[in-house]
Amino acid sequence: MSSGTGGLRERKRQRMYQDVSDTAVGLFLEKGFDAVSVAEVAAAAGISKPTLFRYFPTKEDLVLHRFADHEDEAARVVTEGPTPLAALRRHFLDGLERSDPITGLNDHPAVLAFHRLLYGTPALVARLYPYLERSEAALAGALGGGLQARLAAGQIIAVQRILAQDNWRRVAEGEPLARVRPDAVAAAEQAFGALAAGLPRLA
């Protein structure tokens, strides 16, 4: 098999993931997560239920697929700066600047609706924790492994999550981005400063 064929097959597989996830999220936003069955998602996506489960082991994974590209993001970012924390700080601030949805600072109706679905559905919130644990594990590995790296990774991932959730809460409550953005930047600067003070080895 040529590498071109393998690349095409992988692109088709990723397209399938995206299409099925988008179909599911659309149904969940329209009817509610608990009101839509996996069989209904499979039918809407034009695939069988067993095929759907080959791609998404649980119903919750249909939604959390949108986080898949971010799972090892912090682990990748730490190699991009003079120090791990400097790289992570710059990356988060850049995300705020471009209103990256992962920072919570985005007021597009589709983004707000997705976050309401995510944080308003207990089953999805519970399923989010394994994702965070995998993010922590990847970051800890990038930081050298061991207990100290795991402790540092836990703090960093928690800081990013809390900053993003606070931004999303304010935007969801109707505050304009122009008002939230400077506070979000200041909060991020303060939070990463505290991380640097507590984790001097990474600063």
Coordinates of all heavy atoms in Angstrom, one line a residue, residues 65-115:
H65 N -15.6 14.7 20.9 CA -14.7 14.6 19.8 C -14.2 16.0 19.4 O -13.0 16.1 18.9 CB -15.4 14.0 18.6 CG -14.6 14.0 17.3 ND1 -13.5 13.2 17.1 CD2 -14.7 14.8 16.2 CE1 -12.9 13.5 16.0 NE2 -13.7 14.4 15.4
R66 N -14.9 17.0 19.7 CA -14.5 18.4 19.3 C -13.3 18.8 20.1 O -12.6 19.8 19.8 CB -15.7 19.4 19.5 CG -16.8 19.2 18.5 CD -17.7 20.3 18.4 NE -18.7 20.2 17.4 CZ -19.6 21.1 17.1 NH1 -19.6 22.2 17.7 NH2 -20.5 20.8 16.1
F67 N -13.0 18.1 21.2 CA -11.9 18.4 22.0 C -10.7 17.6 21.7 O -9.6 17.8 22.2 CB -12.2 18.2 23.5 CG -13.0 19.2 24.2 CD1 -14.4 19.1 24.1 CD2 -12.5 20.3 24.8 CE1 -15.2 20.1 24.7 CE2 -13.3 21.3 25.4 CZ -14.7 21.2 25.3
A68 N -10.9 16.6 20.7 CA -9.8 15.7 20.5 C -8.5 16.3 20.0 O -7.4 15.9 20.5 CB -10.3 14.7 19.4
D69 N -8.6 17.4 19.2 CA -7.4 18.0 18.7 C -6.6 18.8 19.8 O -5.5 19.1 19.7 CB -7.7 19.0 17.6 CG -8.1 18.3 16.3 OD1 -7.8 17.1 16.2 OD2 -8.7 18.9 15.4
H70 N -7.3 19.0 20.9 CA -6.7 19.8 22.0 C -6.2 19.0 23.1 O -5.6 19.5 24.1 CB -7.8 20.8 22.6 CG -8.3 21.8 21.6 ND1 -7.5 22.9 21.3 CD2 -9.4 21.9 20.9 CE1 -8.2 23.7 20.4 NE2 -9.3 23.1 20.1
E71 N -6.4 17.6 23.1 CA -6.1 16.8 24.2 C -4.6 16.8 24.5 O -4.2 16.8 25.7 CB -6.5 15.3 23.9 CG -6.4 14.4 25.1 CD -7.1 13.1 24.8 OE1 -8.3 13.1 24.8 OE2 -6.4 12.1 24.6
D72 N -3.7 16.9 23.5 CA -2.3 16.9 23.8 C -1.7 18.3 23.4 O -0.5 18.4 23.2 CB -1.5 15.8 23.0 CG -1.7 15.9 21.5 OD1 -2.5 16.7 21.1 OD2 -1.0 15.2 20.8
E73 N -2.6 19.3 23.3 CA -2.1 20.6 22.9 C -1.1 21.2 23.9 O 0.0 21.7 23.4 CB -3.3 21.6 22.8 CG -3.0 23.0 22.3 CD -4.2 23.8 22.0 OE1 -4.9 23.5 21.0 OE2 -4.6 24.6 22.9
A74 N -1.3 21.2 25.2 CA -0.4 21.7 26.1 C 1.0 21.0 26.0 O 2.0 21.6 26.1 CB -0.9 21.6 27.5
A75 N 0.9 19.7 25.8 CA 2.2 18.9 25.7 C 3.0 19.3 24.4 O 4.2 19.4 24.5 CB 1.9 17.4 25.6
R76 N 2.3 19.7 23.4 CA 3.0 20.2 22.2 C 3.5 21.6 22.4 O 4.6 21.9 21.9 CB 2.0 20.2 21.0 CG 1.5 18.8 20.5 CD 0.9 18.9 19.2 NE -0.2 19.9 19.0 CZ -1.4 19.7 19.3 NH1 -1.9 18.5 19.6 NH2 -2.3 20.7 19.1
V77 N 2.7 22.4 23.1 CA 3.1 23.8 23.2 C 4.4 24.0 24.0 O 5.1 25.0 23.7 CB 1.9 24.6 23.8 CG1 2.3 26.0 24.3 CG2 0.8 24.7 22.8
V78 N 4.6 23.2 25.0 CA 5.7 23.5 25.9 C 7.1 23.5 25.2 O 8.1 24.0 25.8 CB 5.8 22.4 27.1 CG1 4.6 22.6 28.0 CG2 5.8 21.0 26.6
T79 N 7.1 22.9 24.0 CA 8.4 22.9 23.3 C 8.6 24.1 22.5 O 9.7 24.3 21.8 CB 8.5 21.6 22.4 OG1 7.4 21.8 21.4 CG2 8.2 20.4 23.2
E80 N 7.7 25.1 22.5 CA 7.7 26.2 21.5 C 8.2 27.5 22.1 O 8.1 28.5 21.5 CB 6.3 26.4 21.0 CG 5.7 25.2 20.2 CD 4.3 25.4 19.8 OE1 3.7 26.4 20.1 OE2 3.7 24.5 19.1
G81 N 8.7 27.5 23.4 CA 9.2 28.7 24.0 C 10.5 28.5 24.7 O 10.9 27.4 24.9
P82 N 11.0 29.6 25.3 CA 12.2 29.4 26.1 C 12.1 28.6 27.3 O 13.0 27.9 27.7 CB 12.6 30.9 26.4 CG 11.3 31.6 26.3 CD 10.5 30.9 25.2
T83 N 10.9 28.6 27.9 CA 10.6 27.8 29.0 C 9.1 27.2 28.9 O 8.3 27.8 28.1 CB 10.6 28.5 30.4 OG1 9.5 29.5 30.4 CG2 12.0 29.2 30.5
P84 N 8.8 26.1 29.5 CA 7.4 25.6 29.3 C 6.3 26.6 29.7 O 5.4 26.7 29.0 CB 7.4 24.4 30.3 CG 8.9 23.9 30.3 CD 9.7 25.2 30.3
L85 N 6.5 27.3 30.8 CA 5.4 28.2 31.2 C 5.4 29.4 30.3 O 4.3 29.9 30.1 CB 5.6 28.6 32.7 CG 5.2 27.6 33.7 CD1 5.5 28.1 35.1 CD2 3.7 27.3 33.6
A86 N 6.5 29.9 29.9 CA 6.5 31.0 28.9 C 5.7 30.6 27.6 O 4.9 31.4 27.1 CB 7.9 31.4 28.6
A87 N 6.0 29.4 27.2 CA 5.3 28.9 25.9 C 3.8 28.8 26.2 O 3.0 29.2 25.3 CB 5.9 27.6 25.5
L88 N 3.4 28.2 27.3 CA 2.0 28.0 27.6 C 1.3 29.4 27.8 O 0.1 29.6 27.4 CB 1.8 27.2 28.8 CG 2.2 25.7 28.6 CD1 2.4 25.0 30.0 CD2 1.1 25.0 27.8
R89 N 1.9 30.3 28.5 CA 1.3 31.6 28.7 C 1.1 32.3 27.4 O 0.0 32.9 27.1 CB 2.3 32.5 29.6 CG 1.9 33.9 29.7 CD 3.0 34.7 30.4 NE 2.8 36.2 30.2 CZ 3.2 36.8 29.1 NH1 3.9 36.2 28.2 NH2 3.0 38.1 29.0
R90 N 2.1 32.3 26.5 CA 2.0 33.0 25.2 C 0.9 32.3 24.4 O 0.1 33.0 23.7 CB 3.3 32.9 24.5 CG 3.4 33.6 23.1 CD 3.4 35.1 23.3 NE 2.0 35.6 23.2 CZ 1.7 36.8 23.7 NH1 2.5 37.5 24.3 NH2 0.4 37.2 23.5
H91 N 0.8 31.0 24.4 CA -0.2 30.3 23.6 C -1.6 30.7 24.1 O -2.5 30.9 23.3 CB 0.0 28.8 23.8 CG -0.9 28.0 23.0 ND1 -0.8 27.8 21.6 CD2 -2.0 27.2 23.3 CE1 -1.8 27.1 21.1 NE2 -2.5 26.7 22.1
F92 N -1.8 30.7 25.4 CA -3.1 31.1 26.0 C -3.5 32.5 25.6 O -4.6 32.8 25.2 CB -3.2 30.9 27.5 CG -4.6 30.9 28.0 CD1 -5.3 29.7 28.1 CD2 -5.2 32.0 28.5 CE1 -6.6 29.7 28.5 CE2 -6.5 32.0 29.0 CZ -7.2 30.9 29.0
L93 N -2.5 33.4 25.8 CA -2.8 34.8 25.4 C -3.1 35.0 23.9 O -4.0 35.8 23.5 CB -1.6 35.7 25.8 CG -1.4 35.9 27.4 CD1 -0.1 36.6 27.6 CD2 -2.6 36.6 28.0
D94 N -2.4 34.3 23.1 CA -2.7 34.3 21.7 C -4.1 33.8 21.4 O -4.8 34.3 20.5 CB -1.6 33.5 20.9 CG -0.3 34.1 20.8 OD1 -0.2 35.3 21.1 OD2 0.7 33.4 20.4
G95 N -4.5 32.8 22.1 CA -5.8 32.2 22.0 C -6.9 33.3 22.3 O -7.9 33.4 21.7
L96 N -6.6 34.0 23.4 CA -7.6 35.1 23.8 C -7.6 36.2 22.7 O -8.7 36.7 22.3 CB -7.1 35.7 25.1 CG -7.2 34.9 26.3 CD1 -6.6 35.6 27.5 CD2 -8.7 34.5 26.6
E97 N -6.5 36.5 22.1 CA -6.4 37.5 21.0 C -7.3 37.1 19.8 O -7.9 38.0 19.2 CB -5.0 37.7 20.6 CG -4.8 38.7 19.5 CD -5.2 40.1 19.9 OE1 -5.1 40.4 21.2 OE2 -5.5 40.9 19.1
R98 N -7.2 35.8 19.5 CA -8.0 35.4 18.3 C -9.3 34.8 18.6 O -10.0 34.2 17.8 CB -7.2 34.4 17.5 CG -6.8 33.1 18.1 CD -6.1 32.2 17.2 NE -5.8 30.9 17.8 CZ -4.8 30.6 18.6 NH1 -3.9 31.5 18.8 NH2 -4.7 29.4 19.1
S99 N -9.8 34.9 19.9 CA -11.1 34.4 20.3 C -11.2 32.9 20.1 O -12.3 32.5 19.6 CB -12.2 35.2 19.7 OG -12.2 36.5 20.1
D100 N -10.2 32.2 20.3 CA -10.2 30.7 20.2 C -11.3 30.2 21.2 O -11.2 30.5 22.4 CB -8.8 30.1 20.6 CG -8.7 28.7 20.3 OD1 -9.8 28.0 20.3 OD2 -7.6 28.2 20.0
P101 N -12.2 29.4 20.7 CA -13.3 28.9 21.6 C -12.8 28.1 22.8 O -13.4 28.1 23.8 CB -14.1 28.0 20.7 CG -13.9 28.5 19.3 CD -12.5 29.0 19.3
I102 N -11.6 27.5 22.7 CA -11.1 26.7 23.8 C -10.7 27.6 25.0 O -10.6 27.2 26.1 CB -9.8 25.9 23.4 CG1 -9.6 24.7 24.3 CG2 -8.6 26.8 23.3 CD1 -10.6 23.6 24.1
T103 N -10.6 28.9 24.8 CA -10.3 29.9 25.9 C -11.6 30.4 26.5 O -11.5 31.1 27.5 CB -9.5 31.1 25.4 OG1 -10.3 31.9 24.5 CG2 -8.2 30.7 24.7
G104 N -12.7 30.1 25.9 CA -14.0 30.6 26.4 C -14.4 31.9 26.0 O -15.5 32.4 26.2
L105 N -13.5 32.6 25.3 CA -13.7 34.0 24.9 C -14.2 34.0 23.4 O -13.4 34.5 22.5 CB -12.4 34.8 25.1 CG -12.5 36.3 25.0 CD1 -13.3 36.9 26.2 CD2 -11.2 37.0 24.9
N106 N -15.4 33.6 23.2 CA -15.9 33.6 21.9 C -17.5 33.7 22.0 O -18.1 32.9 22.8 CB -15.6 32.3 21.2 CG -15.9 32.2 19.7 OD1 -17.1 32.3 19.4 ND2 -15.0 32.2 18.8
D107 N -18.0 34.6 21.3 CA -19.5 34.8 21.4 C -20.3 34.4 20.2 O -21.4 34.8 20.0 CB -19.8 36.3 21.7 CG -19.3 37.2 20.6 OD1 -18.7 36.7 19.6 OD2 -19.5 38.5 20.7
H108 N -19.7 33.6 19.3 CA -20.4 33.0 18.2 C -21.6 32.2 18.7 O -21.4 31.4 19.6 CB -19.5 32.2 17.3 CG -20.2 31.8 16.0 ND1 -21.1 30.9 15.9 CD2 -20.0 32.4 14.7 CE1 -21.5 30.8 14.6 NE2 -20.9 31.7 13.9
P109 N -22.8 32.4 18.2 CA -24.0 31.6 18.7 C -23.8 30.1 18.8 O -24.2 29.4 19.7 CB -25.1 32.0 17.8 CG -24.7 33.3 17.3 CD -23.2 33.3 17.2
A110 N -23.1 29.5 17.7 CA -22.8 28.1 17.7 C -21.9 27.7 18.8 O -22.1 26.6 19.4 CB -22.3 27.7 16.3
V111 N -20.9 28.5 19.1 CA -19.9 28.2 20.2 C -20.6 28.2 21.5 O -20.5 27.4 22.4 CB -18.7 29.1 20.1 CG1 -17.8 28.9 21.3 CG2 -17.9 28.9 18.8
L112 N -21.4 29.3 21.7 CA -22.2 29.4 23.0 C -23.1 28.3 23.2 O -23.3 27.7 24.3 CB -22.9 30.7 23.0 CG -22.0 32.0 23.1 CD1 -22.9 33.3 23.0 CD2 -21.2 32.0 24.4
A113 N -23.8 27.9 22.1 CA -24.8 26.8 22.2 C -24.0 25.5 22.6 O -24.5 24.7 23.4 CB -25.5 26.6 20.9
F114 N -22.9 25.2 21.9 CA -22.1 24.0 22.2 C -21.7 24.0 23.7 O -21.8 23.0 24.4 CB -20.9 23.9 21.3 CG -20.0 22.7 21.6 CD1 -20.4 21.5 21.2 CD2 -18.9 22.9 22.4 CE1 -19.6 20.4 21.5 CE2 -18.1 21.8 22.7 CZ -18.4 20.5 22.2
H115 N -21.2 25.1 24.2 CA -20.8 25.2 25.6 C -21.9 25.0 26.6 O -21.8 24.3 27.6 CB -20.0 26.5 25.9 CG -18.6 26.5 25.4 ND1 -18.1 27.6 24.7 CD2 -17.7 25.5 25.4 CE1 -16.8 27.3 24.4 NE2 -16.5 26.1 24.8

